[in-house]
Amino acid sequence: MFKLPEERTYFSTHLFVHHQFEIADMEMIANMSKYCNYWRSRFLAEPPNKICSRMLIDAKGDGTCVNILVLGKFIPEDKKLREDLHNKQMMWVLTQKINEREDKNFSRKCLLCRLQFKGCRADYLSHLSRLHNMQLGQPENLVFIDDLLNCIETRLESLHCLFCNKLFKNQTVLKEHMRKKQHKKINPKDTEFDKFYIINYLEMGKNWRQVKNEPDDDDDDDELSNAENSDRRVSVGNWSDWEEDEDKVENPVVCLFCERSSSFDEIQSHMNNAHGFDFTRISVDMDFYHQVFLSYV
């Protein structure tokens, strides 16, 4: 038995050593427990060697190859499972976010003063930012805020700095350290806090660090250099030969009721005419998170 995802490394090692089995990109799976339960049930009906891919690897580095079974998103059934788990997780996160935004009965003592706060979570976070200069991020970007505050409170009560996690001998020294070093904020390198930021749930298998490090599609210096070398007569300031492909739709939107995809305006018209669904009228009073939630439903 393994506690997932906390013991993911031990679980992966066990699969490899005892079963010659590997799950590719395990860190990209939204719900490891449900993922494993699904495949455990499938393997009872059909053996793994009929479903998984095989791979020969030099495990010990001595040229002796080991034949292992590999399960990953390169298998269509596995890819669909991962996408379904991601979508369910996203709906769960959005539901939680909406509930937190609409809850006006939040009550909690301030982490840094004696104020007993009552109201909404956004105002509580604003209090921490304005009066105590504790920067946790914009409220609209945070989720599971109660757990976030519990995590911060536990760290401070154990006399660890929120930012550098350094241990101090008493609360007074800790407070002075965090004030002088401007450590009243979350360290972006501290992965313990990733689960409290919505950006880490938006793209399947990606956290904010991976998204940030992705190259821009239009940042192709080599292509620009080759174009300049092939024809030096082209003027840098001449934009007259830039023609758009009118038939190409960037970031197409998919209909909520069928597989048709096109521009946002065209899909709105299509849903209204073909399905009797007026997205503009229905979403007029919705905020961003409600509109995203509607699209997932």
Side-chain angles (χ1 to χ4, degrees), residues 71-172:
L71 190 63
K73 62 181 180 181
F74 41 80
I75 299 172
E77 184 178 356
D78 185 275
K79 181 180 179 181
K80 184 178 184 304
L81 173 61
R82 293 178 186 231
E83 290 175 347
D84 290 344
L85 291 175
H86 168 75
N87 290 336
K88 289 178 181 178
Q89 181 191 60
M90 189 62 194
M91 285 191 62
W92 172 58
V93 170
L94 289 174
T95 301
Q96 179 66 26
K97 178 60 186 176
I98 291 172
N99 291 338
E100 289 179 355
R101 283 169 57 91
E102 296 179 348
D103 180 19
K104 306 300 181 182
N105 298 316
F106 173 76
S107 178
R108 187 185 185 108
K109 183 180 178 181
C110 175
L111 293 172
L112 302 174
C113 69
R114 297 181 179 180
L115 175 67
Q116 183 64 40
F117 187 89
K118 292 184 179 180
C120 63
R121 291 167 177 81
D123 291 340
Y124 181 90
L125 294 173
S126 177
H127 165 81
L128 290 177
S129 175
R130 289 185 295 102
L131 273 70
H132 304 294
N133 197 30
M134 176 172 278
Q135 308 302 327
L136 305 180
Q138 295 297 323
E140 58 268 23
N141 299 331
L142 296 169
V143 69
F144 310 118
I145 294 175
D146 294 358
D147 292 338
L148 169 61
L149 297 174
N150 290 337
C151 185
I152 293 173
E153 186 173 32
T154 298
R155 184 169 292 191
L156 295 180
E157 288 181 347
S158 64
L159 302 180
H160 284 83
C161 173
L162 177 60
F163 185 84
C164 66
N165 208 24
K166 183 179 178 181
L167 178 62
F168 292 86
K169 61 182 181 180
N170 58 54
Q171 194 176 68
T172 302

Side-chain angles (χ1 to χ4, degrees), residues 260-278:
R260 181 167 179 174
S261 64
S262 185
S263 66
F264 179 69
D265 291 339
E266 197 280 332
I267 286 298
Q268 281 197 101
S269 177
H270 161 75
M271 290 193 297
N272 195 8
N273 297 330
H275 305 289
F277 182 81
D278 190 343

Side-chain angles (χ1 to χ4, degrees), residues 8-24 26 29 32 35-36 38-40 42-43 46-55 57 59 66-72 74-75 78 82:
R8 186 175 59 202
T9 301
Y10 299 113
F11 177 62
S12 177
T13 302
H14 168 82
L15 288 177
F16 182 83
V17 173
H18 295 278
H19 304 286
Q20 291 74 55
F21 190 93
E22 183 173 333
I23 300 175
M26 191 182 295
I29 300 173
M32 274 300 302
Y35 178 89
C36 292
Y38 174 88
W39 282 116
R40 185 181 292 108
R42 281 284 285 116
F43 291 157
E46 190 172 0
N49 57 4
K50 298 292 185 180
I51 300 174
C52 303
S53 297
R54 290 187 177 274
M55 181 183 296
I57 64 169
V66 179
N67 194 345
I68 66 171
L69 294 176
V70 183
L71 190 63
F74 41 80
I75 299 172
D78 185 275
R82 293 178 186 231

Side-chain angles (χ1 to χ4, degrees), residues 240-252:
S240 60
D241 60 344
W242 186 2
E243 297 180 359
E244 295 286 354
D245 185 354
E246 296 182 357
D247 295 330
K248 181 179 179 182
V249 178
E250 294 186 3
N251 301 320

